Amino acid sequence: MIRKFVGAVAAALAVMAGLWLMIAPFALGTQPENADWTDPTTTEFFSGLGVTVFGLVGVIGFVLAIYEELVIRGLVTVKQRVKPEPEPEPVPAAPQASSAELASLLAPLVEALREDMHNPSRGGEHRQNGKTTLVGLEESR
């Protein structure tokens, strides 16, 4: 495991060295501005490009090797790709109550509401527990 880690670090250093070779002629001023690339600039740039690509391949390879080692040791779990299950068939809805059944269920409620509306004996007071409403308390102040 240590060898793989050291290899990944060395490959990352190679990537950084390759990037430096690519930008060094421009950063250090050996390449004149607004001029064609000189032979040393071309050589350094393409050498750096090769080292960078080689380093990237190394980094990817070592990282995959480290990942594989972690899976073997059981420190990383691999998620299995699960095929989406087919959607269950919709369950048929419960049979709707007929309008006659609904009317018979709602008839007592309608009668109670009608009785409340036409019964003036309560004087607008709908509480049966003897407590006054908040509006009644505010009006009595």
Side-chain angles (χ1 to χ4, degrees), residues 26-123:
F26 307 101
L28 298 177
T30 57
Q31 170 62 37
E33 287 187 39
N34 299 327
D36 290 338
W37 283 11
T38 60
D39 288 337
T41 300
T42 305
T43 303
E44 283 186 36
F45 182 83
F46 287 109
S47 296
L49 182 64
V51 171
T52 302
V53 170
F54 185 73
L56 280 175
V57 170
V59 166
I60 292 170
F62 280 112
V63 167
L64 289 175
I66 291 170
Y67 179 76
E68 183 181 1
E69 181 75 23
L70 291 175
V71 169
I72 290 171
R73 290 184 182 190
L75 299 173
V76 175
T77 58
V78 179
K79 292 183 180 178
Q80 299 294 328
R81 291 188 180 185
V82 179
K83 293 181 182 178
E85 295 180 14
E87 293 184 21
E89 295 180 21
V91 178
Q96 296 291 330
S98 67
S99 59
E101 289 175 357
L102 286 176
S104 67
L105 288 173
L106 292 175
L109 178 63
V110 171
E111 283 301 316
L113 289 172
R114 187 176 297 144
E115 211 174 284
D116 260 357
M117 287 174 46
H118 295 299
N119 189 357
S121 65
R122 291 188 175 171

Side-chain angles (χ1 to χ4, degrees), residues 123-125 132-141:
E125 182 61 42
T132 60
T133 61
L134 290 176
V135 175
L137 286 175
E138 288 294 322
E139 290 174 356
S140 65
R141 283 188 177 179

Side-chain angles (χ1 to χ4, degrees), residues 5-17:
F5 183 74
V6 170
V9 170
L13 289 173
V15 169
M16 289 192 296

